[in-house]
Amino acid sequence: MFPTQYTNKMYLLLLGSSHHSTPIDLRERIDFVRRGIPEALSRLGNIAGIREVVVLSTCNRSEIYTVCEAPDTTNCALRVFMSSFHDVPESELKSHLYSRTDADVAQHLFRVVAGLDSLVVGEPQIVGQVKDAFQVASEHGHTGASLNRLFHCSFAVGKRVRNETGLGEGAVSVSYAAISLARKIFGNLDTLRALVVGTGEMAELTATHLRSQQVRHISVANRTPAHATSLAAKVDGVAVPWAAVAEELTLTDIVVTATGASKWILTRPQIVEAMQPRRDRPLFIIDIGVPRDVEPTVGDVEQVFLYNIDDLQAIVQDNLTKRQSQVNRAELMVREEVNGFMTWLRSRDAIPTVVALRRRFEEVRQAELDRLAPKLASLPPLARSKIEEVTHLLIEKLLSTPTEQLKSARDGHEMTADVNTLERLFKLNSSEQLPNPDEESDDNLDTRNKSPRPSRVKQR
């Protein structure tokens, strides 16, 4: 469990890997889903200095988002954790991991949710994947005010980009990119047969795209027959028994695998055998499973063309070129939203100082009211209540300007300078009885429109 109060300045820290920095074989080995995300969250929560944490694990990325006390120390701890949790030597991981702090964390996550960092720019699946990751962490008690705000802001950014740019129009997923690759090789697909192995989300998307391209015949295979039957019905295809896959390989032109199985479902000997009766008719295989479903040496077999997720980069580049004007608009939106989030985050650093300043002013106010109590005793209750109200409102007005200045600090250095000045001038001790950030709101930094407190003028 995370502490109810933070006693030090908190920082955002991200450690991760993605298709930009890590080859597919290593991405398969550091997939958090294999070992279980709840288990990863539990172990991360026990690392000293980590106060909040979310683990994001998809086909193309494995990332850990944290709120921590000491970024450098926590960064080292996270690298050790990545190695031990996945049983991968640190020496193999080192060059493939990237880290971000504070504003760069927000920038990265906002770009991810906006679809700007995806393998295929603009693909919408990542939004749901990030929401699922955040929900798991939240339900297990691993998030607080900072990550809650960060992730909810990212969802708002993603929605804004989709609504205000053309980036999401015709956005393609990895599965659609796979079909695009098939069209580049075969041209029209309406005379071909296709076999889809798997019935998960990626397999269903691919089968749907095949159907939209008017593929002549679609077969669906899965170890669970009912799942194959269900997907086949959605795409006007035919479910085939798992044991019949070998026979289907001799008949089909396009094979798409997307099972996420832990071992090869198509091996080189199987493909060699399937190619014998085909009489040099080419076989096009797209392996979009992570981990991969097809043994890599299958691509060496004569007349077999094997592609995996990393091979889709050429299509990605084409999309980047076509959408560059929309990407630029989306990037501007991301930067605007990052600035807004960082203003909020910096304002939280000032909460203890603002609370201490309010406490100091209130102490002075109450001390003066207590000193004048004998003289005020003869006043009617309504007049004494008005004095209480006026003095309280006076303090709120006096605090308004320094509070707003703290909220609008341009960067962390300016915030620190302002905080230090206030603490020195008013001899504040903001480390005492720090408020719980999870229970604080922006009201702590807003002295406007406050209703007066109940009267504390002593009755005589």
Side-chain angles (χ1 to χ4, degrees):
M1 295 297 292
F2 297 123
T4 57
Q5 294 185 346
Y6 297 170
T7 57
N8 297 311
K9 175 178 170 59
M10 293 294 118
Y11 300 87
L12 292 176
L13 173 66
L14 159 67
L15 181 75
S17 73
S18 73
H19 56 282
H20 294 301
S21 63
T22 311
I24 188 171
D25 58 335
L26 183 54
R27 296 205 305 272
E28 291 171 350
R29 296 167 64 191
I30 58 175
D31 179 6
F32 281 102
V33 176
R34 291 189 313 137
R35 298 284 299 273
I37 290 179
E39 171 64 19
L41 289 168
S42 178
R43 289 177 56 176
L44 285 163
N46 290 326
I47 295 177
I50 291 182
R51 294 293 176 258
E52 304 176 37
V53 61
V54 171
V55 172
L56 174 61
S57 188
T58 72
C59 294
N60 291 318
R61 70 183 68 249
S62 294
E63 296 178 337
I64 304 172
Y65 293 82
T66 72
V67 173
C68 64
E69 296 178 1
D72 291 342
T73 302
T74 302
N75 187 30
C76 292
L78 291 181
R79 290 173 182 271
V80 172
F81 167 81
M82 285 281 282
S83 173
S84 63
F85 189 79
H86 298 295
D87 294 324
V88 177
E90 285 188 66
S91 57
E92 291 186 36
L93 281 174
K94 184 177 179 181
S95 62
H96 301 289
L97 296 177
Y98 49 80
S99 60
R100 308 279 189 273
T101 57
D102 291 337
D104 290 337
V105 175
Q107 173 98 358
H108 178 86
L109 179 60
F110 291 4
R111 294 188 74 255
V112 166
V113 178
L116 293 167
D117 196 65
S118 298
L119 181 64
V120 180
V121 173
E123 64 92 6
Q125 287 178 289
I126 188 63
V127 179
Q129 293 169 328
V130 174
K131 286 184 176 180
D132 290 343
F134 172 71
Q135 183 176 355
V136 170
S138 180
E139 289 177 350
H140 285 79
H142 292 282
T143 65
S146 296
L147 288 189
N148 288 345
R149 183 74 171 230
L150 175 69
F151 277 83
H152 282 296
C153 283
S154 76
F155 304 145
V157 173
K159 183 177 181 180
R160 182 185 174 192
V161 168
R162 290 191 300 275
N163 290 343
E164 299 182 26
T165 75
L167 196 66
E169 295 177 4
V172 293
S173 64
V174 168
S175 58
Y176 187 82
I179 302 307
S180 297
L181 182 57
R183 289 187 61 188
K184 286 187 176 183
I185 293 175
F186 288 103
N188 292 332
L189 307 182
D190 53 4
T191 63
L192 305 179
R193 294 174 62 96
L195 169 65
V196 178
V197 185
T199 57
E201 183 178 13
M202 291 292 288
E204 182 173 340
L205 284 170
T206 307
T208 301
H209 291 314
L210 284 168
R211 176 60 180 165
S212 71
Q213 296 299 315
Q214 299 180 334
V215 171
R216 180 167 64 89
H217 178 87
I218 300 176
S219 297
V220 180
N222 192 67
R223 292 187 185 277
T224 304
H227 293 170
T229 300
S230 176
L231 177 55
K234 293 179 181 178
V235 296
D236 295 330
V238 176
V240 297
W242 188 260
V245 168
E247 182 181 351
E248 283 292 318
L249 290 173
T250 67
L251 303 173
T252 196
D253 302 289
I254 302 171
V255 178
V256 178
T257 64
T259 71
S262 59
K263 58 182 181 180
W264 312 128
I265 63 168
L266 295 181
T267 63
R268 181 187 175 99
Q270 286 177 299
I271 299 301
V272 169
E273 183 177 354
M275 292 301 293
Q276 292 176 359
R278 295 176 63 90
R279 297 182 179 179
D280 294 329
R281 186 159 53 94
L283 179 62
F284 178 60
I285 303 176
I286 304 175
D287 180 359
I288 54 177
V290 177
R292 285 173 292 180
D293 292 319
V294 183
E295 187 176 0
T297 56
V298 163
D300 299 330
V301 178
E302 190 73 20
Q303 289 296 89
V304 175
F305 302 89
L306 172 64
Y307 297 85
N308 60 38
I309 284 180
D310 284 354
D311 296 321
L312 302 178
Q313 288 287 5
I315 297 176
V316 174
Q317 189 58 49
D318 287 343
N319 288 336
L320 279 172
T321 301
K322 294 175 183 177
R323 301 179 181 186
Q324 197 56 52
S325 62
Q326 299 302 313
V327 167
N328 291 338
R329 289 182 61 200
E331 294 282 12
L332 285 174
M333 293 178 186
V334 166
R335 285 197 290 272
E336 289 175 6
E337 298 295 338
V338 168
N339 290 338
F341 172 77
M342 290 307 298
T343 297
W344 174 85
L345 189 64
R346 286 193 297 268
S347 74
R348 292 180 60 76
D349 291 338
I351 287 177
T353 299
V354 171
V355 170
L357 189 62
R358 290 170 62 95
R359 185 187 301 124
R360 176 57 54 84
F361 273 48
E362 178 60 24
E363 289 172 353
V364 173
R365 185 183 78 91
Q366 194 58 50
E368 288 303 301
L369 288 176
D370 289 345
R371 185 177 65 83
L372 296 172
K375 296 180 179 180
L376 300 177
S378 60
L379 296 177
L382 181 59
R384 293 198 298 273
S385 177
K386 285 295 183 182
I387 292 174
E388 174 76 22
E389 179 181 346
V390 168
T391 56
H392 179 74
L393 291 176
L394 180 61
I395 285 179
E396 301 300 344
K397 291 292 184 182
L398 289 171
L399 287 173
S400 177
T401 298
T403 298
E404 289 304 313
Q405 287 297 108
L406 286 174
K407 288 179 66 175
S408 61
R410 292 171 297 180
D411 53 46
H413 297 296
E414 183 176 300
M415 170 73 72
T416 300
D418 289 345
V419 165
N420 290 340
T421 297
L422 286 173
E423 291 184 349
R424 177 175 55 84
L425 291 176
F426 292 95
K427 297 182 179 180
L428 303 178
N429 184 359
S430 59
S431 63
E432 292 182 355
Q433 298 179 339
L434 290 182
N436 179 0
D438 293 347
E439 297 174 355
E440 291 298 323
S441 69
D442 292 340
D443 290 341
N444 288 44
L445 294 177
D446 192 351
T447 61
R448 298 168 296 178
N449 301 322
K450 299 281 188 176
S451 58
R453 300 178 183 179
S455 175
R456 295 177 58 189
V457 177
K458 292 184 179 180
Q459 304 295 316
R460 295 286 183 176

